[in-house]
Structure formats: structure tokens, C-alpha cells
């Protein structure tokens, strides 16, 4: 594109795009632009090369600031030029450029609770080594790097079984696969790579993680050679908008080279790539609400597990995966197949994955599967096609060379991600004997597959079971012609089962299909043999991060070194104000008749505030807390309150307050709408209109009651202390 030539000689220009593959992005500084021959020279070489016809854009050019949201950084002058997106109150410019804001190395039994980490050009928290470090109830946001990193990123390779470019240290096949397996064992089965050294039992609980440049949570750990699980966990977190700097390949949660992780009851949403992604051997992924991902990518899924790491023990159960946009408009069976999936196992060999009791809705492709999984009791709603598969086992059974089933030239090197012959169970001598015994105990389905392939005797055993799934497509546009499970490549293969799968356009089995309540009725549970509790999916509370911290006690280490689950606050207000309404300037929290509540459960921006030297409070919240009835007339912009035999009316932006049709007072500051709620001067509303007593102190505490007027005593100090703990 010759237009680029005019930027020859410009400093600090960058290019971003997809130089090689449609799923791998790169961000490269431009070293020079040669206008005479229309070439761009990058400052560093792209990691994976260049292909023709790939899209990219160049940026950080002052001349091109012509759209909202664009910016230019002049590093020489230190000036940021920014094109604003309409009206805004503020924007953040991060200057902190440390490696991370908190670094924990080789430390144990530490809890970070109730913290806010934001505005860094790098990462938030980095944990490596040690035991039982927990990050809980924290807000992690507006960071350019990772939100939270657990484990050493330098260990993130394609697989611990063998390096991705294994010939680099194998002298071009000088070692056999069995000898290569021995070398890998010798590299990994050493004390220095034990989880006791590299880290174990770390986790993230109840955190709010959003607007992250790279990955929300990045984890690496465990050791399959020592049969040690990292025992990491991510639970009850709200994670969204990761990958904001690298918008193709950075997931919400990265599980690269990890053995032993639990990901439970999280809200994961709004990702340009995957929600959970990586190379994984052992994991439990349950109870998560995952949606709106893969928005800027193609060959990927909400859950995407790649290439070389065999999923030896992976459970994906009771998740709700939904609302992934199609790659193209899908209008007929001849439309190009979308490669956006709910679950994608991109493997070249066997894997033991149990995918059961999930609800998958409004996603082009449900699952990109492989030969050795249990796919059962799932509910599939309004999806283009249930599954897509490439049957890798047919490369080995029946084998072309039965004397050497895992012949490297035929099945290993030609399919570069098939690392099976380098697994530790194929190692020479005592190493192989040792690992075959361990795997027979821990991974029997994998060993069953190996036994069948090596013996070439099947004996009716099934590797892939796709049974008892319910596919509902009310749209009906492809119901008669789209691929069904039993139409796939494995249909007539002896080691696969695809039975009792139901396809229908009838939605009567759901409690409320139109309002997206996909809980099955009792009759449907009995009919289809599927029972998924939709109420158990997602976070266990309606809040996360520091908001959740405010409603709990801080967790403390137990005698065994773990952490005790947080208990709800048991503090109560003094007897004097148990029937009162208690608020505080600038806080969305409140007490109403002795209970901790929100002023507006749907909007934390609704709170008492001071305008023109007058304290304004939310009329509806206060009136209804005392049993009043509140009405609103949109045409006249009039609010009506009925309480204690009186009718109070106010018109927004007018100063008169009416009681029973008569002007009762003229307010200094009129009633007005703030954040969609009617806000009224405190004393006019409570004393004049509602006949309540009001206590207000200089620290912003407000007590509204029917009782005697409070004074600045120990009671008010106690109330303020309890209030601040919310």
C-alpha cells in the first residue's frame, strides 16, 4: 500500500497484524520504510515468519488521529495526544513501569486481600515458588501486562515431554523416540523441578480482573514426571476484557504447561481470544459462566487446549458456554464453517477428557474434538453444528506398520504435534517400566488406548463416547441438514460410540426458553436423563473483588497451612437505630432496619452526595425503607410518595415540595435525577415531608429515624465504624 510511503522517516511507528497465521498476532516496531521500493523493515524479525495476503495496520502516527479513541505518544517530548471518545470525566495514563506491582518469590502462607492494583504498564502480581499464597477479594484492572501470574513463565513450553523444536537438541533424529523420552525424564524428574521448589497450592479467589493488556491470570506448574500436581485454583472470580494489547491470542486464564488446576464458579467474558487456553495435563473446569469470547479470532474456542500436552485427566462439567459470534453469516449448509467453538481440543493423539453436563448455546461450533473423550449429557441450544472431528486414531489403528505402530517417519514426524512416542511410558529400560506402572494406576484410559494400538486388538473397547446429548435448535435453519454427532468421521469406526443423542426444535423442555432460562423441567429431566442445575453455575455471589471483601472477614491461615473460607460479617447496629435508615456521603452501602443493603442494588454510583452545599439523598430508597409507596409519572417528571397518611409530590428540577396538594416548602436545591434516581435535599425530604428525625455528622454519617435525635456519642462512632466495614 503506497500510502504508507509518506511515513518514511517517521520515528517510533509500529505495525500490528497477522503476519503468518490468522490466529497469531504480532506487534512489531518499524525500523524503516523505504518509499522507493515500497518495503517495510521491522526492528525485530516476526517470531513465526511472514505469509502473503495477511492484514496489518500501522499506528502511532500523529497525522492519523482522526477517530475517537486513537492516540499518539511522542516519547521525545513526553506528550500524549489523545482523541477523546465523546464526553469523559477522566482517563488514566500509567507511568509505573516496574516488572510487576507485587512480587512473591519462594514465600508461603501469605494472603493478599481487599487490594486494588491498577494503572501499571506491566503486570499486577507475580507468584513463584513457595506454598499456599492466596490472592482474594482484589480488584486487578487497567494493566498492560498480565493481571496475576502464578508459576515461572520461562517454563511455559509446548510440552514438558519434549521441546516443540526437539530436533534442535536431538541432532536431527540422532536419538530414537525412546531415547528422547529418557532425556526428557532426566530433564524433568529432578528435585529442582518439584512443586515443592517451583510452587504449589497457590490460588485466586473472589477477585475482579478486567481491562488487562495480556492475560487475566497466567499459570504454569505441576510436574507430570514426578506425578506432582500444582493444585492451583481460580474460584468465584469475575474476569473480563483481557487481551486488550494483544487482541488475538491472550486468554482470560492461561493454563500453559500445567498439571493440576481447578477453575470453578467464575464469570469469564468479553475476550478477543479464548476464555481458558493452554497446554494442560490435569484440570477440573466446573461451574463457570463463559461467554462473548473469540470475538477477534478464528481457529479457536472459548476453551482451547492445544497441541502437545495430552489431556491425561481433564474434567469439563456443569459449565454454561454461550454467545460467541459466528465468523460469517450462517444462512445455509453451504456457508463456510465457522472455526469458533465452545470447546476445542486441538490434539494429535489420545486424551482423556470428560465433557459432561454442560449447557452450550448460540455458538457456531460446539466442540472440536478428538478420538478419546467422553461427551455426554450436554444440552446444545441454537448452535450451527454439534461437533467437528479429525480422527487421529485411524493413523494408528489399523496400523500401516504393525511391527512398529508408532513409526516415527509415518506418524510422528509427519504430524509434528503427535509426540506420543516420546511419552515417558515409551522410555527405554527401567524408566519406561516405572512410568507404565504409574500411568496404569493414574491414567487407565490412556494406557488402554496404548495397549489397543500396540496389540492392534480392539475387543470392543470404546475410546470416544458421544452419548445422550440433547441438541435443541428452535431457529431450525439448519436442523435438518447440519452435521449431527453420528454423521461425523468416527461414526463407523469400531472404537467410537454415538448413541441416544436427541435433535429437536421443541423448546418445551426448558423452564423459560424465551427468557434464556435453560433449566430443564422435572419432566424433561426424567425423559432425557439430564439434570443440570443452572443456579449452581457462575460466581457464588453477585459481587467480586473489593466489593466482596467489604462484606467478609479477612481469611486467616488454618493450623494446616490452608485458608479458612471467609465468614460473613456478624456486626449489628446499636439498638437505638435498629429501625433507622443509615447512609453515608459518597457510599453506595446502607443500613435499612438493621440490615446491610445497597442504596441501589443495580448501580453503585447511586449514593448520598453534596451539591451546592446541600446533602442530597435518594428519595425512593428512603421512602420505601420506611414502608412508603413511591410512584413516578414520566410525562410530567413527577415523583409521588405516600407515607403516614400524607401524599408528597415533587417535580424534577423545580424547587417546590407539595404535601397533599399544597406547597409545603421551597427547596434551596431542586429535586433532580442523578444516575437515573430522584435525589432530594436530606432535611426537606426526611423532616418536612416524611416527619423523621435526622442525625448528620461532619464525617458524612446520616441516620434517619422515628426516634430521638442522636448526638455525637459512642453510638455514632460505632455506627460509623461498622458502616466503614461494609
Amino acid at each position: 500500500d503506497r500510502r504508507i510511503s509518506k511515513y518514511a522517516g517517521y520515528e517510533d511507528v509500529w505495525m500490528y497484524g497477522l503476519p503468518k497465521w490468522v490466529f497469531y498476532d504480532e506487534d512489531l516496531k518499524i525500523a524503516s520504510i523505504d518509499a522507493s521500493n515500497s518495503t517495510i523493515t521491522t526492528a525485530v524479525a516476526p517470531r513465526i515468519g511472514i505469509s502473503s495476503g495477511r492484514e496489518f495496520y500501522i499506528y502511532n502516527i500523529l497525522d492519523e488521529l482522526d477517530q475517537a479513541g486513537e492516540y499518539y505518544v511522542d516519547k521525545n517530548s513526553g506528550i500524549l495526544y489523545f482523541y477523546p471518545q465523546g464526553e469523559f470525566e477522566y482517563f488514566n495514563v500509567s507511568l509505573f513501569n516496574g516488572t510487576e506491582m507485587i512480587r512473591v518469590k519462594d514465600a508461603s502462607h501469605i494472603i493478599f486481600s481487599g487490594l486494588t492494583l491498577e494503572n501499571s504498564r506491566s503486570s499486577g502480581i507475580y507468584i513463584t515458588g513457595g506454598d499456599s499464597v492466596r490472592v482474594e477479594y482484589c480488584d486487578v484492572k487497567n494493566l498492560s501486562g498480565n493481571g496475576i501470574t502464578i508459576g515461572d513463565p520461562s517454563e511455559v513450553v509446548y510440552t514438558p515431554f519434549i521441546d516443540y523444536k526437539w530436533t534442535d537438541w536431538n541432532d536431527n533424529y540422532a536419538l530414537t523416540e525412546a531415547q528422547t523420552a529418557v532425556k526428557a525424564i532426566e530433564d524433568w524428574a529432578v528435585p529442582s523441578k518439584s512443586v515443592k521448589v517451583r510452587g504449589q497450592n497457590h490460588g485466586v479467589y473472589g477477585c475482579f480482573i478486567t481491562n488487562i493488556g495480556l492475560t487475566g491470570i497466567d499459570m504454569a506448574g505441576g510436574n507430570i514426571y514426578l506425578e506432582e500436581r500444582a493444585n492451583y485454583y481460580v474460584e468465584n472470580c469475575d474476569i473480563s476484557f483481557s487481551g486488550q494489547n494483544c487482541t488475538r491470542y491472550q486468554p482470560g486464564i492461561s493454563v500453559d504447561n500445567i498439571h493440576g488446576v481447578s477453575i470453578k464458579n467464575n464469570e469469564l467474558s468479553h475476550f478477543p481470544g479464548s476464555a481458558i487456553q493452554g497446554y494442560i495435563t490435569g484440570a477440573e473446569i466446573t461451574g463457570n459462566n463463559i461467554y462473548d469470547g473469540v470475538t477477534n479470532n478464528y481457529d479457536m474456542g472459548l476453551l482451547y487446549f492445544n497441541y502437545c500436552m495430552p489431556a491425561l485427566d481433564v474434567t469439563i462439567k456443569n459449565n454454561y458456554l454461550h454467545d460467541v459470534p459466528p465468523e460469517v453469516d450462517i444462512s445455509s449448509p453451504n456457508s463456510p464453517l465457522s472455526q469458533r467453538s465452545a470447546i476445542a481440543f486441538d490434539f494429535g493423539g489420545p486424551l482423556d477428557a470428560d465433557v459432561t453436563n454442560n449447557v452450550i448455546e448460540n455458538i457456531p461450533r460446539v466442540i472440536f474434538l478428538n478420538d478419546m473423550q467422553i461427551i455426554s449429557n450436554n444440552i446444545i441450544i441454537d448452535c450451527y453444528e454439534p461437533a467437528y472431528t479429525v480422527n487421529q486414531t485411524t493413523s494408528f489403528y489399523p496400523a500401516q506398520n504393525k511391527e512398529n505402530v508408532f513409526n516415527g517417519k509415518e506418524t510422528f514426524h509427519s504430524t509434528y504435534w503427535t509426540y506420543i512416542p516420546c511419552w515417558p511410558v515409551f522410555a527405554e529400560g527401567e524408566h519406561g517400566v516405572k512410568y507404565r506402572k504409574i500411568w496404569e494406576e493414574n491414567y487407565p484410559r490412556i494406557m488402554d488406548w496404548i495397549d489397543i494400538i500396540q496389540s492392534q486388538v480392539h475387543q470392543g473397547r470404546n475410546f470416544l463416547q458421544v452419548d445422550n446429548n440433547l441438541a435443541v435448535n428452535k431457529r431450525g435453519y439448519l436442523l435438518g441438514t447440519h452435521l449431527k454427532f453420528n454423521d461425523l468421521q468416527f461414526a463407523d469406526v469400531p472404537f467410537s460410540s454415538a448413541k441416544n443423542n436427541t435433535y429437536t426444535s421443541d423448546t418445551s423442555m426448558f423452564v423459560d426458553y424465551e427468557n434464556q432460562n435453560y433449566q430443564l423441567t422435572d419432566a424433561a429431566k426424567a425423559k432425557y436423563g439430564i439434570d443440570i442445575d443452572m443456579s449452581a453455575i457462575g460466581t457464588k455471589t453477585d459481587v467480586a473483588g473489593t466489593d466482596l471483601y467489604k462484606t467478609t472477614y479477612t481469611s486467616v491461615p488454618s493450623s494446616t497451612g490452608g485458608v479458612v473460607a471467609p465468614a460473613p460479617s456478624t456486626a449489628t447496629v446499636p439498638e437505638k437505630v435498629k429501625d433507622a435508615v443509615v447512609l453515608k456521603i459518597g457510599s453506595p452501602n446502607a443500613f435499612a432496619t438493621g440490615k446491610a443493603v445497597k442504596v441501589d442494588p443495580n448501580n453503585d454510583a447511586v449514593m448520598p452526595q453534596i451539591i451546592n452545599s446541600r446533602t442530597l439523598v435518594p428519595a425512593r430508597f428512603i421512602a420505601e425503607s420506611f414502608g412508603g409507596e413511591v410512584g413516578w409519572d414520566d410525562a410530567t417528571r413527577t415523583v409521588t410518595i405516600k407515607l403516614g397518611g400524607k401524599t408528597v409530590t415533587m417535580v424534577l428540577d423545580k424547587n417546590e415540595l407539595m404535601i397533599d396538594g399544597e406547597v409545603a416548602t421551597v427547596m434551596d436545591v431542586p429535586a433532580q435525577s442523578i444516575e437515573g434516581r430522584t435525589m432530594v435535599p436530606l432535611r426537606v425530604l426526611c423532616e418536612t415531608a416524611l416527619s423523621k428525625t435526622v442525625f448528620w455528622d461532619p464525617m458524612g454519617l446520616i441516620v434517619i429515624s422515628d426516634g430521638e435525635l442522636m448526638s455525637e456519642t459512642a453510638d455514632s462512632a460505632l455506627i460509623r465504624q461498622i458502616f466503614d466495614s461494609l
Side-chain angles (χ1 to χ4, degrees):
D1 189 330
R2 290 190 175 273
R3 290 176 298 172
I4 298 173
S5 297
K6 65 181 179 180
Y7 304 119
Y10 281 41
E11 294 184 4
D12 205 25
V13 179
W14 291 69
M15 62 186 298
Y16 176 84
L18 311 168
K20 183 70 174 180
W21 295 319
V22 296
F23 53 82
Y24 195 93
D25 61 340
E26 294 214 48
D27 202 7
L28 302 167
K29 185 176 181 179
I30 294 176
S32 63
I33 298 173
D34 189 332
S36 62
N37 61 14
S38 299
T39 61
I40 294 173
T41 301
T42 60
V44 297
R47 290 184 61 190
I48 56 175
I50 290 284
S51 295
S52 62
R54 297 301 183 200
E55 61 187 31
F56 69 95
Y57 63 83
I58 64 174
Y59 68 97
N60 205 42
I61 302 169
L62 182 60
D63 310 31
E64 294 291 343
L65 257 63
D66 55 4
Q67 296 186 43
E70 294 183 340
Y71 63 90
Y72 165 73
V73 179
D74 186 337
K75 294 179 181 176
N76 292 325
S77 66
I79 296 176
L80 167 69
Y81 298 81
F82 174 63
Y83 196 121
Q85 296 176 309
E87 295 183 5
F88 63 94
E89 295 182 5
Y90 64 91
F91 63 92
N92 295 324
V93 179
S94 173
L95 298 179
F96 177 74
N97 197 31
T99 307
E100 53 273 323
M101 303 182 90
I102 296 175
R103 183 181 182 89
V104 183
K105 181 175 175 58
D106 299 331
S108 300
H109 308 298
I110 296 175
I111 299 171
F112 297 97
S113 191
L115 304 177
T116 297
L117 297 95
E118 63 177 327
N119 292 357
S120 169
R121 293 171 62 193
S122 54
S123 298
I125 300 177
Y126 175 41
I127 301 166
T128 181
D131 193 334
S132 300
V133 176
R134 176 179 171 101
V135 181
E136 62 178 21
Y137 314 136
C138 292
D139 288 348
V140 183
K141 56 189 179 181
N142 305 329
L143 305 177
S144 292
N146 294 330
I148 298 172
T149 299
I150 302 176
D152 188 346
S154 66
E155 296 176 357
V156 177
V157 294
Y158 272 79
T159 168
F161 295 136
I162 186 170
D163 186 71
Y164 178 53
K165 295 183 178 180
W166 71 289
T167 56
D168 290 349
W169 53 265
N170 195 16
D171 298 328
N172 294 318
Y173 314 126
L175 301 178
T176 66
E177 287 89 345
Q179 292 169 338
T180 302
V182 171
K183 179 170 174 50
I185 292 170
E186 292 173 347
D187 284 349
W188 278 88
V190 295
S192 62
K193 292 188 178 180
S194 167
V195 297
K196 296 178 178 64
V197 175
R198 293 164 53 236
Q200 61 183 337
N201 302 319
H202 304 314
V204 184
Y205 181 90
C207 288
F208 177 63
I209 303 172
T210 190
N211 198 31
I212 304 298
L214 299 179
T215 298
I217 300 176
D218 192 359
M219 294 182 286
N223 190 319
I224 191 67
Y225 287 93
L226 294 173
E227 197 50 50
E228 294 178 341
R229 299 205 171 211
N231 291 328
Y232 296 158
Y233 60 90
V234 179
E235 187 173 350
N236 204 41
C237 293
D238 188 329
I239 305 173
S240 61
F241 295 101
S242 66
Q244 297 303 292
N245 291 347
C246 296
T247 60
R248 291 278 172 169
Y249 223 64
Q250 301 295 331
I253 300 175
S254 174
V255 286
D256 275 329
N257 189 359
I258 193 165
H259 183 57
V261 64
S262 173
I263 302 173
K264 291 184 179 180
N265 291 102
N266 301 284
E267 296 278 336
L268 303 170
S269 64
H270 303 98
F271 304 116
S274 298
I276 304 173
Q277 174 187 307
Y279 314 100
I280 194 167
T281 48
E284 182 180 2
I285 302 172
T286 59
N288 300 285
N289 183 22
I290 306 174
Y291 59 96
D292 193 25
V294 203
T295 56
N296 201 31
N297 218 316
Y298 303 96
D299 185 15
M300 197 169 283
L302 283 177
L303 308 182
Y304 181 48
F305 305 108
N306 205 346
Y307 296 162
C308 314
M309 293 278 278
L312 301 177
D313 181 16
V314 174
T315 298
I316 301 174
K317 188 173 183 179
N318 282 97
N319 301 283
Y320 179 27
L321 301 102
H322 57 107
D323 295 308
V324 170
E327 178 182 338
V328 294
D329 291 334
I330 300 175
S331 57
S332 74
N334 297 322
S335 297
L337 294 180
S338 174
Q339 295 186 53
R340 291 185 167 112
S341 306
I343 305 170
F345 288 100
D346 200 354
F347 283 88
L351 62 154
D352 188 1
D354 185 351
V355 182
T356 59
N357 282 66
N358 300 283
V359 176
I360 302 170
E361 180 231 352
N362 191 28
I363 299 178
R365 177 185 292 153
V366 174
I367 186 168
F368 187 101
L369 51 82
N370 208 289
D371 312 357
M372 196 176 156
Q373 295 158 273
I374 299 174
I375 316 294
S376 64
N377 289 47
N378 299 287
I379 301 174
I380 300 162
I381 305 165
D382 291 333
C383 296
Y384 173 67
E385 63 177 0
Y388 178 80
T389 185
V390 175
N391 198 305
Q392 296 288 347
T393 297
T394 54
S395 301
F396 305 102
Y397 187 94
Q400 297 177 6
N401 182 350
K402 294 187 179 182
E403 298 299 320
N404 185 3
V405 176
F406 297 112
N407 183 287
K409 293 182 180 179
E410 294 181 12
T411 63
F412 176 37
H413 306 307
S414 61
T415 309
Y416 68 87
W417 55 78
T418 306
Y419 287 86
I420 298 168
C422 293
W423 287 2
V425 293
F426 294 109
E428 291 182 336
E430 63 181 15
H431 287 299
V433 174
K434 172 185 175 181
Y435 283 98
R436 279 191 291 273
K437 182 178 180 180
I438 293 173
W439 282 35
E440 284 169 358
E441 180 178 349
N442 295 334
Y443 314 112
R445 292 190 76 233
I446 296 289
M447 294 305 294
D448 193 37
W449 181 89
I450 291 173
D451 176 62
I452 292 170
I453 298 303
Q454 287 189 318
S455 68
Q456 290 291 291
V457 178
H458 179 249
Q459 297 178 333
R461 290 174 286 186
N462 288 328
F463 302 147
L464 179 60
Q465 300 175 33
V466 187
D467 301 330
N468 204 47
N469 298 284
L470 172 60
V472 182
N473 194 331
K474 186 176 182 180
R475 298 173 186 172
Y477 57 92
L478 290 169
L479 188 63
T481 53
H482 73 337
L483 291 171
K484 299 181 175 67
F485 283 124
N486 55 357
D487 298 328
L488 296 176
Q489 184 177 343
F490 57 75
D492 298 322
V493 177
F495 40 74
S496 299
S497 170
K499 60 187 179 184
N500 298 329
N501 296 298
T502 301
Y503 303 86
T504 180
S505 59
D506 179 16
T507 60
S508 63
M509 72 280 294
F510 299 120
V511 170
D512 190 352
Y513 169 85
E514 298 299 332
N515 290 303
Q516 295 182 297
N517 183 346
Y518 300 125
Q519 183 69 54
L520 292 181
T521 64
D522 290 340
K525 293 176 187 177
K527 178 178 180 180
Y528 297 108
I530 300 174
D531 187 2
I532 302 173
D533 183 5
M534 293 292 291
S535 67
I537 296 174
T539 54
K540 300 174 185 176
T541 64
D542 294 331
V543 296
T546 55
D547 284 339
L548 183 56
Y549 171 76
K550 294 173 183 177
T551 63
T552 62
Y553 284 131
T554 302
S555 298
V556 295
S558 68
S559 59
T560 59
V563 280
V564 178
S569 174
T570 57
T572 57
V573 296
E575 184 72 13
K576 180 180 285 188
V577 292
K578 67 181 180 65
D579 296 322
V581 171
V582 183
L583 306 101
K584 191 176 180 183
I585 302 296
S587 174
N589 300 310
F591 281 110
T593 61
K595 297 179 180 179
V597 295
K598 291 283 187 181
V599 175
D600 186 334
N602 299 314
N603 188 353
D604 272 1
V606 178
M607 61 185 72
Q609 53 189 283
I610 296 176
I611 297 179
N612 294 335
S613 301
R614 290 288 180 266
T615 300
L616 270 60
V617 292
R620 178 180 292 275
F621 173 79
I622 293 173
E624 290 183 345
S625 295
F626 287 108
E629 297 179 9
V630 181
W632 167 255
D633 187 328
D634 192 58
T636 62
R637 303 178 74 233
T638 300
V639 60
T640 302
I641 300 172
K642 294 182 179 181
L643 180 65
K646 294 188 297 185
T647 300
V648 180
T649 56
M650 291 167 284
V651 179
L652 290 192
D653 299 322
K654 292 191 176 181
N655 295 74
E656 294 179 342
L657 181 140
M658 313 283 288
I659 298 179
D660 295 332
E662 302 289 336
V663 176
T665 188
V666 177
M667 299 176 285
D668 293 339
V669 178
Q672 53 197 274
S673 178
I674 300 175
E675 291 290 331
R677 293 290 181 263
T678 300
M679 304 290 285
V680 184
L682 168 66
R683 294 193 182 276
V684 172
L685 173 68
C686 298
E687 294 178 344
T688 304
L690 304 181
S691 301
K692 307 297 179 183
T693 59
V694 175
F695 171 79
W696 183 95
D697 76 3
M699 297 181 68
L701 184 71
I702 302 168
V703 180
I704 307 163
S705 69
D706 288 315
E708 62 183 275
L709 189 65
M710 288 182 56
S711 60
E712 180 57 43
T713 63
D715 274 346
S716 62
L718 176 60
I719 294 170
R720 198 161 47 241
Q721 179 183 355
I722 296 171
F723 196 97
D724 289 343
S725 72
L726 292 181

